[in-house]
């Protein structure tokens, strides 16, 4: 299974970007889809997840600013990012968890760069 992200790029602080991800190939299981990010010099962190019941979770740092949406059946997930901050700059990575528990992400995209200038 290949996960392909799109929509990264540059924005000013306070601006918005929308990321999208699609799975190419079969992705079996209950599925949970999510977004992670790797900020400069830091470990990968979970940003947001959504499961087949459309239950979503967010990192505290993005609550109220980011919104995850997805079509689990179609293996697509998006991340709407508003009120962006310079500390949001990094590589954003799409992931899929076939178990559906959102705790066992096994499939990963290559990532898309997000750069926010102040």
């Amino acid at each position: 299974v290949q996960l392909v992200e799109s929509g990264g790029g540059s924005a000013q602080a306070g601006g918005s970007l929308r990321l999208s991800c699609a799975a190419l190939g079969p992705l079996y299981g209950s599925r949970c889809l999510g977004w992670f990010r790797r900020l400069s010099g830091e470990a990968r962190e979970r940003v947001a997840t959504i499961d087949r019941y459309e239950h979503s979770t967010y990192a505290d740092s993005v609550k109220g600013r980011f919104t995850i949406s997805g079509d689990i059946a179609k293996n697509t997930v998006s991340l709407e990012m508003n009120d962006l901050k310079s500390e949001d700059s990094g590589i954003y990575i799409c992931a899929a968890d076939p178990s559906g528990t959102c705790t066992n992400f096994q499939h990963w995209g290559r990532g898309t760069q997000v750069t926010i200038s102040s």
Side-chain angles (χ1 to χ4, degrees), residues 1 23 25-32 72 75 96-100 106-107:
V1 175
L27 187 63
Y28 301 110
S30 300
R31 297 186 292 281
C32 172
I72 300 297
N75 295 326
D97 169 8
S99 76
Q106 297 182 11
H107 305 288

Side-chain angles (χ1 to χ4, degrees), residues 1-6 20-28 33 74-77 93-96 98 106-111:
V1 175
Q2 182 180 5
L3 299 177
V4 180
E5 303 96 340
S6 61
S20 296
C21 174
L24 305 180
L27 187 63
Y28 301 110
L33 300 175
K74 295 182 179 179
N75 295 326
T76 60
V77 62
I93 306 162
C94 173
Q106 297 182 11
H107 305 288
W108 300 86
R110 300 182 66 177

Side-chain angles (χ1 to χ4, degrees), residues 19 35-47 59-62 65-66 79 81 84-93 111-116:
L19 306 181
W35 288 95
F36 291 72
R37 66 185 181 185
R38 182 175 285 114
L39 307 181
S40 179
E42 298 185 14
R44 186 176 62 201
E45 69 168 343
R46 177 190 299 239
V47 176
D60 288 342
S61 58
V62 306
R65 301 189 298 121
F66 290 11
L79 186 68
M81 305 185 294
L84 285 160
K85 304 176 181 180
S86 57
E87 53 262 42
D88 292 320
S89 296
I91 298 173
Y92 284 71
I93 306 162
T112 185
Q113 180 70 47
V114 169
T115 302
I116 308 303

